[in-house]
């Protein structure tokens, strides 16, 4: 069955990818643990992967709100008492939690999910640390690369989602590092040559350059950013087509059903 939650769907696909040929202990990080099942089961999905993988691994779950941690533990225990032994909760701000892990885990983390606070600049800073933690064949997923509507937790409109600063920086880094090639591919010699003063003012951006990592945005109204090596991006491209083909098929079936029901009622 196709999942309507795009983040959960691609999280599972990403985890399958990083564990496929990995017979060693796996290490995962999430910023923001699950605390309401209806809003997502991230912690359960991550611990389940460790449990089903050779039962060797650890999830570092970084969460500021103690009540959320308590709720998460309760949900995990409702499924299986075994899940909780794979989790180490870090009760702190996301950026502080990541910094606590940096010394012992540089280039050692298989998967990182960034889904914490609502400040886009904080999320950018978290991402900068996450890139240092992730393995060369690991995967980072960032939630909300789009504006967010008001909710019960955040009653104000947020035109900038958590991950909205990360994507532009990655685009600019790719452009600056490959500027001559990009201009050559897109420039008609009869046109003025690109010469933006703002581009010249930009400092050297060095987020992914030394990691041989690439990125892809997936989604329509709800967008997520996925970062990984070339094989990861190829996998995501394939799954992206599969996801939206199947999702459209489900929606078309529902439309036919509703039309049929409407006619029956009339």
């Amino acid at each position: 069955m196709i999942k309507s939650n795009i983040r959960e769907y691609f999280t599972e696909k990403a985890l399958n990818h990083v564990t496929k040929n990995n017979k060693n202990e796996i290490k995962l990080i999430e910023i923001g643990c699950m605390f309401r099942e209806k809003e997502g089961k991230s912690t359960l999905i991550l611990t389940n992967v460790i449990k089903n993988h050779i039962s060797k691994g650890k999830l570092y779950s970084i969460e500021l709100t103690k009540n959320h941690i308590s709720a998460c533990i309760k949900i995990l225990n409702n499924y299986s008492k075994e899940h909780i032994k794979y989790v180490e909760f870090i009760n702190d701000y996301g950026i502080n939690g990541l910094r606590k892990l940096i010394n012992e885990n540089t280039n050692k983390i298989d998967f990182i999910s960034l889904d914490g606070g609502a400040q886009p600049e904080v999320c950018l800073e978290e991402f900068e640390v996450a890139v240092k933690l992730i393995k060369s064949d690991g995967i980072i997923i960032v939630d909300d690369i789009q504006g967010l509507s008001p909710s019960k937790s955040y009653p104000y409109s947020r035109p900038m989602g958590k991950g909205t600063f990360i994507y532009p920086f990655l685009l600019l880094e790719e452009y600056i590092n490959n500027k001559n090639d990009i201009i050559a591919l897109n420039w008609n010699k009869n046109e003025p040559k690109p010469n933006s003063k703002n581009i010249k003012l930009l400092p050297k951006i060095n987020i992914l350059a030394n990691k041989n990592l690439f990125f892809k945005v997936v989604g329509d109204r709800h967008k997520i950013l996925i970062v990984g090596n070339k094989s990861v991006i190829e996998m995501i491209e394939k799954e992206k087509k599969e996801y939206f083909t199947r999702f459209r098929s489900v929606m078309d079936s529902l439309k036919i059903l509703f039309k049929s029901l409407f006619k029956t009622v009339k």
Side-chain angles (χ1 to χ4, degrees):
M1 183 179 176
I2 190 76
K3 288 180 179 288
S4 59
N5 186 320
I6 193 170
R7 178 165 56 89
E8 285 187 7
Y9 178 86
F10 282 98
T11 293
E12 289 189 350
K13 296 299 179 183
L15 290 166
N16 288 340
H17 186 85
V18 298
T19 58
K20 187 176 180 180
N21 299 312
N22 186 351
K23 301 302 179 186
N24 302 312
E25 179 183 22
I26 57 173
K27 289 187 176 183
L28 318 173
I29 295 174
E30 67 170 355
I31 294 184
C33 70
M34 67 174 186
F35 58 97
R36 292 193 196 102
E37 285 190 71
K38 290 181 180 179
E39 294 185 10
K41 299 177 182 177
S42 61
T43 314
L44 179 63
I45 291 170
L46 296 173
T47 52
N48 206 44
V49 166
I50 299 172
K51 177 175 173 286
N52 294 332
H53 182 58
I54 64 173
S55 295
K56 285 181 68 178
K58 180 180 282 189
L59 165 64
Y60 299 99
S61 184
I62 306 169
E63 174 60 59
L64 178 65
T65 308
K66 288 184 178 180
N67 288 343
H68 289 184
I69 294 175
S70 299
C72 183
I73 292 170
K74 185 177 180 181
I75 295 169
L76 288 176
N77 285 333
N78 286 340
Y79 279 88
S80 168
K81 300 287 184 183
E82 196 176 352
H83 283 86
I84 199 68
K85 72 180 183 181
Y86 300 116
V87 190
E88 180 180 324
F89 288 101
I90 299 174
N91 182 211
D92 208 334
Y93 289 99
I95 187 63
N96 292 343
L98 289 174
R99 285 171 178 158
K100 288 176 182 177
L101 296 172
I102 195 75
N103 290 334
E104 294 181 6
N105 294 284
T106 299
N107 298 325
K108 291 182 180 178
I109 304 297
D110 296 278
F111 176 85
I112 301 174
S113 171
L114 301 182
D115 184 28
Q119 295 290 345
E121 187 173 349
V122 171
C123 195
L124 173 62
E125 192 175 3
E126 291 170 352
F127 183 80
E128 291 165 354
V129 179
V131 169
K132 296 175 183 176
L133 287 163
I134 203 72
K135 285 182 177 179
S136 59
D137 57 349
I139 300 175
I140 302 171
I141 291 184
V142 185
D143 199 19
D144 296 328
I145 311 299
Q146 80 289 328
L148 299 172
S149 302
S151 65
K152 287 183 180 179
S153 302
Y154 297 96
Y156 305 106
S157 178
R158 290 167 287 164
M160 295 182 180
K162 288 172 277 191
T164 49
F165 280 9
I166 299 171
Y167 186 45
F169 270 92
L170 294 180
L171 288 173
L172 285 168
E173 179 181 28
E174 184 173 41
Y175 180 74
I176 291 167
N177 290 340
N178 302 282
K179 184 177 177 180
N180 291 334
D181 292 337
I182 293 171
I183 290 174
L185 287 169
N186 294 279
W187 177 49
N188 183 325
K189 291 183 179 180
N190 295 322
E191 297 174 343
K193 196 168 184 178
N195 192 33
S196 167
K197 290 181 180 178
N198 288 312
I199 292 293
K200 289 179 179 178
L201 288 172
L202 284 173
K204 180 74 173 176
I205 301 171
N206 191 21
I207 301 176
L208 296 183
N210 296 329
K211 297 288 288 191
N212 201 28
L213 295 173
F214 303 86
F215 58 93
K216 193 77 185 174
V217 171
V218 180
D220 184 14
R221 281 185 253 181
H222 179 193
K223 297 180 181 179
I224 60 173
L225 173 72
I226 303 173
V227 176
N229 62 24
K230 281 188 176 180
S231 68
V232 168
I233 299 305
E234 287 170 3
M235 178 272 292
I236 293 301
E237 282 287 3
K238 182 181 176 182
E239 292 297 340
K240 179 182 172 183
K241 291 176 184 176
E242 175 73 9
Y243 178 87
F244 286 106
T245 299
R246 290 168 64 191
F247 190 72
R248 278 192 291 268
S249 177
V250 170
M251 294 306 293
D252 288 343
S253 298
L254 287 172
K255 286 177 184 177
I256 293 168
L257 176 62
F258 284 132
K259 282 181 181 178
S260 176
L261 288 171
F262 183 72
K263 284 180 182 177
T264 303
V265 172
K266 284 184 78 175

